[in-house]
């Protein structure tokens, strides 16, 4: 899927806000996610940690940093290396397929990503559209690979 120069610029510019502190930004997204969709907490290694204590939990903070690095790596190569984006998201599928996380959970995470990013970076309508397009694209890669792997 091709991205216009403007879409790439919209994404890269708005990414500067969460990129300033990937761990805290990721924590905000994941706390939003498990607060709005609490059934998803069971998919994580920190599932027994109360939501109010997540930000202080090292396993949680380590995991959100990994999530945000996937996005950071994707944004960094967006518009320049489609094969690298495909590889990033296929690798994620390979590492997550055994956890049997339903597509619905990923879509709920997407909602939290867009909600928190929109608020934190004060996204314009054009930036929101660009992020929707990117998430559609990377999720299509993720879901296709998971399906190929038997998810």
């Amino acid at each position: 899927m091709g991205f216009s120069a403007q879409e790439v610029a919209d994404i890269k510019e708005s990414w500067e806000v969460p990129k300033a502190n990937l761990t805290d930004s990721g924590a905000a997204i994941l706390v939003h996610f498990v607060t709005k969709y609490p059934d998803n907490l069971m998919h994580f290694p920190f599932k027994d940690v109360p939501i109010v204590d997540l930000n202080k939990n090292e396993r949680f903070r380590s995991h959100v940093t990994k999530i945000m690095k996937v996005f950071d790596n994707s944004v960094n190569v967006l518009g320049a290396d489609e094969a690298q984006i495909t590889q990033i998201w296929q690798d994620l599928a390979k590492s997550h397929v055994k956890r049997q996380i339903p597509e619905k959970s990923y879509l709920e995470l997407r909602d939290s990503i867009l909600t928190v990013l929109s608020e934190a970076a004060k996204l314009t309508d054009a930036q929101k559209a660009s992020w929707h397009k990117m998430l559609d694209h990377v999720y299509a890669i993720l879901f296709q690979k998971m399906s190929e792997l038997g998810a």
Side-chain angles (χ1 to χ4, degrees):
M1 171 181 281
F3 290 85
S4 71
Q6 186 59 56
E7 289 168 333
V8 171
D10 284 344
I11 290 168
K12 288 181 182 266
E13 177 185 309
S14 58
W15 183 246
E16 290 301 316
V17 173
K19 184 178 180 172
N21 190 327
L22 288 177
T23 301
D24 286 347
S25 298
I29 291 167
L30 216 53
V31 166
H32 181 278
F33 173 59
V34 297
T35 300
K36 186 171 181 181
Y37 306 105
D39 291 346
N40 287 306
L41 189 56
M42 70 179 200
H43 299 298
F44 293 98
F46 40 81
K47 63 184 170 225
D48 296 326
V49 177
I51 292 173
V52 297
D53 295 331
L54 285 175
N55 269 318
K56 296 177 274 186
N57 182 278
E58 285 303 315
R59 291 179 85 184
F60 172 80
R61 294 190 65 78
S62 173
H63 196 81
V64 299
T65 300
K66 290 176 189 171
I67 293 169
M68 294 302 282
K69 285 184 179 178
V70 167
F71 280 95
D72 191 48
N73 292 338
S74 299
V75 170
N76 287 339
V77 298
L78 185 67
D81 191 348
E82 180 58 33
Q84 184 64 31
I85 289 178
T86 299
Q87 190 63 55
I88 290 166
W89 290 88
Q90 286 181 343
D91 288 348
L92 186 71
K94 290 174 192 173
S95 69
H96 281 69
V97 71
K98 64 184 169 273
R99 293 180 178 92
Q100 299 180 331
I101 301 166
E103 281 189 19
K104 176 180 179 248
S105 294
Y106 290 98
L107 295 172
E108 290 168 346
L109 177 58
R110 172 197 168 109
D111 172 65
S112 290
I113 292 166
L114 290 169
T115 298
V116 174
L117 182 61
S118 292
E119 292 170 6
K122 298 178 179 30
L123 297 182
T124 65
D125 288 342
Q127 288 171 325
K128 287 178 189 175
S130 296
W131 274 99
H132 277 281
K133 183 175 178 178
M134 181 182 155
L135 289 171
D136 286 346
H137 180 57
V138 298
Y139 270 41
I141 296 166
L142 177 72
F143 292 155
Q144 179 182 344
K145 188 63 175 181
M146 290 179 86
S147 178
E148 289 171 10
L149 295 170

